Amino acid sequence: MGINVSRTADLGSNEWLLRFVGRQHIAPDDEAFWNGLLNYNIVLPENSQDQLNLDSRLESLCQSFIGNNLKTGNFGSLVAVFLEKTSELLSLSDQESNMHVWQTFNALFIIRTLVKYINETGSEFQLLQHFEALPSAELLQAAVERQQQTPAENASIAIEATEQTAPVPVIVDGSKFETFIDALVNLIVVIPVKEFTYHLHLEAVNMLITLLSVHLFAQQPTDKSIVFRTVFKCQHANVLMSALLHFVARMVEVPHTMFGSSSAGSFVFGIAESLLSIFSFRKQQDALKSGQATGGELSQRFRTLYPLANQSLLLILILTNHYTAQENAYRASLFGCADSKDSPKQGTGAGAVSFQIDFSAVYETLCLIVTIDQATLLLYLLLHRNERFYRFVMQQQNLEQLVIPILQTLYNAPDSNSHHIYMSLIVLLILSEDEGFNKNVHTIMLKNITWYTERTISEISLGGILILIVIRTIQYNMLKMRDKYLHTNCLAALANMSGHFRALHPYVAQRLVSLFETLARKHSRLDAQLKQPADSAVFVNVATTPEDMLQDLSVLEEVLRMVLEILNSCLTNQLVYCPNLVYTLLYKRSVFEGFRSHHAFQDVIQNIDMVVGFFSSRLQRVQEQRGELGVNEVLEVISKGASQWSSDRLRKFPDLKFKYVEEDAPEEFFIPYVWTLVCKYGCVHFSSESIKSVTTDIAC
């Protein structure tokens, strides 16, 4: 009776689909038809090629649907069937509901397929027309008579009915579309996630993403979109955001079968039960633990193994990054959630708790997947805007589990997109705003960092490897990206940490001073070029004007000044704990030679010179007594001298404290980025040829 939809099935000749998209109205209570249509098994598209193949096989059916539905209203009938089945699910036992879940899923899949087609080929207004379309009185009467007649008599009724037309409906509040949105939300938050409901929850989340994808194919602002206005005026933002974040945190693995057998028992429902039930699922996380895999590879694995978590994460990002300039209940909900281990506090205003969730589960999941773009974005939102979560993270004793994957993203910068690099650095900057974090990273010791291949380091602090990676990112940016804001964020993070640098590894101290040395050489070359006559061979590149070079020189001097202030901050606050840095400054003292008289650096270099002079004189006295000193002997002299050093001798500078501030109009950056991730790493595959509103590179 049903349909077996393989990836090669000829869907264009299927009798149930042909009737659905045809010229006859099919009533919602025509059980024989709906049972025939909805009893099918489908192999879901796994990639864009699968989706393209399915779309091509459905093309003629979709065209017939567009041509007939405004007269037949069959789409509205299907929506009505879905609404009825969704409401019935709550009162059925597991054994009774298994078939019901299957049919509800199938109905929703057909709805999503048609919505996707309309979005890609039509307009939002046409989409809403199809939702609200009603059959004419003649078609309604024909449908009633057809249910009472034999199949032969039905044919003549159908022919007569095709000559009638139905008026185009007017979209009003309280519409079928609004009811449909409410049903999707209820399905997600009320029905428990079990093995045989997993794909139904996934389809509901995909349906919301597909509806909101109208943004991709329209050129109107989202605040003019009826779809967006309907979704964003949802009265259940807190419970929806809670359910979605729970889906992410618990990372339920996709079942091996779509609708497996279930045990007997009542189909208990309720939000608390829904969220607790997913604890029973076993996590299969080892597949995501691979130090050799890139963020893109992990994104693909995450999508394949944990599609509900992946799609829920993407939907969270869509809901929280649109409507940032006006009231957004989803955004407020995410920023107002609290740890379930804390006693609930009934605050008001900005301090109100929107919902509670186990922060440990959220933190552990983010540690596991933070190398993928969408997880980095969620971490950014929580750290930047949810004070409770920020404080929770700062209290964790295993910060390396969060920080090291972020550092790996930066280390593998050539394999990451510029947006991901930028967001990873901002996360580090936000973390560095906390003094406790800056102290703790130097107490966490790491061994055998195999992914860091520049140099073999048997043991180093988390703070040390963090400094190395940020310096490396600055140098990579100088060569490849030349992004001023990237420099700014890198240096701001180092500056925040500099007053707490401790026990720096010799290689870390060398890289800090070498950063200044590299920048100094570049400054000298640029300065020399500017002093050459304008018609000399220096300006063979006509694209580089003296004005451009002056601007580059100005930026370079700002960076050099910041590096000097970072060194000065460490010497002022932590000299006694950083003998390796003092050793390197003594060894490389000549790199500061050309800047002592420069007005932009004079004051800071005076402090560095004072430190170098103090220890240099002590070393000279010891050498006169003992002769040539080895490295360990030099460090011994430095350590003894540091115990007698007083930072009061140094000129005082303000403490280096930088705080991340989001740019004006953040949606201009985040919305295209989020939709790029939806298209690239989501389970719903959109037609890239039809996309109009996203200008960033999308690999669908």
Side-chain angles (χ1 to χ4, degrees), residues 68-82:
N68 295 323
N69 183 69
L70 293 181
K71 302 171 186 176
T72 66
N74 285 342
F75 186 70
S77 294
L78 177 60
V79 170
V81 170
F82 166 76

Side-chain angles (χ1 to χ4, degrees), residues 68 78 94 110 152 223 267 332 336 348 365 396 424 470 508 644 696:
N68 295 323
L78 177 60
D94 284 4
I110 295 173
D223 58 356
F267 197 60
T348 57
T365 295
Q396 299 310 297
S424 298
V470 173
V508 177
Q644 300 171 11
T696 52

Side-chain angles (χ1 to χ4, degrees), residues 533-583:
D535 58 352
S536 72
V538 172
F539 295 103
V540 292
N541 182 1
V542 295
T544 305
T545 65
E547 290 76 16
D548 291 334
M549 296 174 70
L550 274 172
Q551 186 176 3
D552 286 347
L553 189 67
S554 175
V555 171
L556 195 54
E557 288 180 353
E558 289 178 17
V559 175
L560 279 165
R561 169 80 189 192
M562 180 65 81
V563 175
L564 287 172
E565 289 188 3
I566 288 168
L567 293 171
N568 178 69
S569 172
C570 177
L571 295 174
T572 301
N573 296 286
Q574 301 291 334
L575 184 146
V576 69
Y577 303 109
C578 294
N580 286 318
L581 180 60
V582 175
Y583 180 97

Side-chain angles (χ1 to χ4, degrees), residues 636-661:
E636 182 184 350
V637 173
I638 291 171
S639 296
K640 288 182 178 178
S643 64
Q644 300 171 11
W645 167 263
S646 173
S647 61
D648 293 339
R649 307 179 187 192
L650 301 179
R651 178 173 177 173
K652 302 301 179 187
F653 289 88
D655 289 340
L656 296 179
K657 290 187 181 296
F658 293 87
K659 189 174 180 64
Y660 170 73
V661 177

Side-chain angles (χ1 to χ4, degrees), residues 451-481:
W451 51 269
Y452 186 85
T453 58
E454 262 78 355
R455 177 169 174 156
T456 302
I457 302 176
S458 59
E459 187 175 46
I460 191 172
S461 69
L462 178 61
I465 194 70
L466 198 163
I467 295 167
L468 286 178
I469 299 302
V470 173
I471 290 173
R472 187 177 184 274
T473 304
I474 293 173
Q475 293 173 327
Y476 174 78
N477 185 48
M478 287 167 55
L479 291 172
K480 301 289 184 182
M481 298 171 67

Side-chain angles (χ1 to χ4, degrees), residues 246-545:
H246 274 86
F247 294 163
V248 175
R250 296 304 171 202
M251 265 177 49
V252 181
E253 188 182 13
V254 62
H256 296 299
T257 57
M258 287 186 65
F259 302 100
S261 60
S262 59
S263 59
S266 62
F267 197 60
V268 182
F269 62 93
I271 295 170
E273 284 290 329
S274 174
L275 300 179
L276 286 173
S277 66
I278 56 182
F279 278 87
S280 61
F281 284 86
R282 179 170 57 93
K283 292 183 182 180
Q284 299 288 343
Q285 299 175 347
D286 290 344
L288 297 180
K289 294 180 180 178
S290 174
Q292 303 303 317
T294 64
E297 291 170 343
L298 287 176
S299 291
Q300 300 293 352
R301 294 181 195 173
F302 186 54
R303 176 176 69 185
T304 301
L305 296 174
Y306 309 98
L308 181 58
N310 184 66
Q311 295 305 98
S312 297
L313 175 49
L314 291 171
L315 182 54
I316 288 172
L317 295 178
I318 295 169
L319 294 173
T320 52
N321 283 289
H322 280 282
Y323 278 58
T324 56
Q326 54 249 76
E327 185 177 351
N328 181 337
Y330 299 106
R331 195 171 170 87
S333 180
L334 182 67
F335 300 160
C337 69
D339 191 359
S340 58
K341 293 184 177 66
D342 295 338
S343 57
K345 298 177 181 178
Q346 298 301 320
T348 57
V353 174
S354 53
F355 63 89
Q356 289 187 292
I357 187 170
D358 183 0
F359 276 176
S360 294
V362 176
Y363 175 77
E364 289 169 10
T365 295
L366 287 175
C367 288
L368 193 65
I369 63 172
V370 74
T371 51
I372 66 178
D373 291 70
Q374 52 267 45
T376 305
L377 271 181
L378 178 60
L379 177 62
Y380 160 77
L381 287 170
L382 288 170
L383 290 176
H384 181 46
R385 301 300 296 270
N386 189 314
E387 291 184 14
R388 298 183 187 93
F389 187 77
Y390 184 81
R391 290 196 300 269
F392 174 86
V393 171
M394 291 301 106
Q395 293 167 0
Q396 299 310 297
Q397 299 302 309
N398 59 345
L399 281 170
E400 70 277 8
Q401 292 188 13
L402 181 68
V403 175
I404 288 177
I406 296 172
L407 298 181
Q408 287 177 293
T409 296
L410 296 175
Y411 187 77
N412 297 315
D415 298 322
S416 304
N417 63 73
S418 59
H419 285 44
H420 196 194
I421 295 170
Y422 188 67
M423 294 311 304
S424 298
L425 277 172
I426 289 175
V427 167
L428 289 182
L429 174 56
I430 293 171
L431 293 173
S432 74
E433 293 171 10
D434 183 79
E435 289 193 5
F437 172 84
N438 296 331
K439 293 176 182 176
N440 290 339
V441 291
H442 291 288
T443 65
I444 299 172
M445 300 306 296
L446 309 172
K447 294 184 177 181
N448 300 320
I449 311 295
T450 55
W451 51 269
Y452 186 85
T453 58
E454 262 78 355
R455 177 169 174 156
T456 302
I457 302 176
S458 59
E459 187 175 46
I460 191 172
S461 69
L462 178 61
I465 194 70
L466 198 163
I467 295 167
L468 286 178
I469 299 302
V470 173
I471 290 173
R472 187 177 184 274
T473 304
I474 293 173
Q475 293 173 327
Y476 174 78
N477 185 48
M478 287 167 55
L479 291 172
K480 301 289 184 182
M481 298 171 67
R482 300 177 62 82
D483 184 334
K484 178 183 176 182
Y485 293 105
L486 201 69
H487 268 349
T488 301
N489 286 307
C490 286
L491 292 168
L494 286 178
N496 284 344
M497 296 172 61
S498 61
H500 302 280
F501 286 171
R502 281 196 172 209
L504 295 181
H505 190 282
Y507 183 61
V508 177
Q510 292 168 27
R511 299 307 299 158
L512 270 170
V513 178
S514 293
L515 174 61
F516 180 86
E517 187 177 19
T518 302
L519 294 167
R521 284 200 298 265
K522 188 171 184 179
H523 180 275
S524 297
R525 286 197 301 270
L526 202 55
D527 190 45
Q529 289 176 7
L530 280 166
K531 291 176 180 176
Q532 293 289 332
D535 58 352
S536 72
V538 172
F539 295 103
V540 292
N541 182 1
V542 295
T544 305
T545 65

